[in-house]
Amino acid sequence: MTTSGLQEQFQTLVDDHRKILYKICHSYCRDRDSREDLAQEILVQLWRSFGRFDGQNINRRCRFSTWMYRIALNVAISFYRRENVRTRCIISDEARLIEASGESDSRPEDVQLLYRFIDGLDPLNKALILMYLDEQTYREIADVLGITETNVATKINRLKNKLRQEYGT
């Protein structure tokens, strides 16, 4: 395939699965600038790895979304760790403006609670719950995170119980 054909195929697949990118960036970054930086890093890594993606290989068949999750979550977790150290005591201008204006989030309350819950999770559980909410199979989640399907089921059950205990849902 020509380089322009490869670029076009990549762009089409990324456009079709941009919600994955959006979810991951919003779950791992609080301010807009960090989300944009993370999205850029994810896209660079996806492009660098795209030549090795082979959704048609019978021995390693995987959906593009599963492959994209694997790369995006690895980049996001690394980014989160770097940013967490760098910005531990810094409040973004965006957060200050929201606090100063007294604005509340325009999302429904149950969605706000879910985001608050996800925000409090460690990187592995955050990745797990994002994929679960995106209706990935236990097998796909296990493949991306490098854990067993049984471990995925156990962790999801524990997260559901924790959510019920903390928020009474």
Side-chain angles (χ1 to χ4, degrees):
M1 182 176 286
T2 66
T3 303
S4 64
L6 194 62
Q7 288 173 338
E8 194 173 305
Q9 181 186 16
F10 175 77
Q11 186 64 48
T12 301
L13 287 167
V14 169
D15 286 346
D16 290 347
H17 296 87
R18 68 183 171 273
K19 288 182 181 180
I20 293 171
L21 186 65
Y22 176 81
K23 278 185 255 187
I24 290 172
C25 290
H26 274 50
S27 294
Y28 282 86
C29 298
R30 294 175 197 258
D31 64 271
R32 185 184 59 228
D33 292 337
S34 293
R35 287 191 297 265
E36 289 173 3
D37 290 346
L38 176 58
Q40 192 69 27
E41 279 193 44
I42 290 170
L43 288 170
V44 166
Q45 289 304 320
L46 286 169
W47 175 246
R48 285 182 180 163
S49 303
F50 189 62
R52 293 185 300 273
F53 170 69
D54 184 6
Q56 304 306 315
N57 183 335
I58 293 177
N59 296 330
R60 281 266 333 190
R61 179 176 235 147
C62 76
R63 295 184 318 176
F64 181 81
S65 61
T66 303
W67 177 82
M68 185 176 180
Y69 258 119
R70 179 177 291 134
I71 291 172
L73 287 170
N74 284 331
V75 172
I77 289 168
S78 296
F79 183 89
Y80 174 80
R81 288 179 180 148
R82 275 194 322 270
E83 285 296 299
N84 200 28
V85 168
R86 188 178 71 77
T87 61
R88 189 166 284 150
C89 297
I90 298 173
I91 299 174
S92 73
D93 291 338
E94 191 175 297
R96 285 190 189 129
L97 288 173
I98 291 171
E99 288 173 9
S101 68
E103 286 183 28
S104 63
D105 200 324
S106 61
R107 295 179 284 212
E109 186 177 341
D110 57 342
V111 174
Q112 289 180 41
L113 290 174
L114 182 59
Y115 273 100
R116 198 171 317 137
F117 175 73
I118 292 170
D119 191 45
L121 297 175
D122 63 87
L124 176 69
N125 282 323
K126 191 177 284 194
L128 181 83
I129 199 74
L130 287 174
M131 292 185 73
Y132 175 74
L133 291 172
D134 202 28
E135 300 178 350
Q136 298 288 311
T137 67
Y138 285 8
R139 177 175 295 236
E140 290 168 330
I141 296 170
D143 287 346
V144 169
L145 299 179
I147 58 179
T148 65
E149 289 180 59
T150 304
N151 200 349
V152 168
T154 301
K155 286 181 174 294
I156 288 172
N157 191 42
R158 287 180 183 159
L159 288 170
K160 286 179 180 178
N161 288 336
K162 182 178 179 182
L163 180 62
R164 281 187 202 102
Q165 288 174 347
E166 288 184 21
Y167 298 102
T169 58

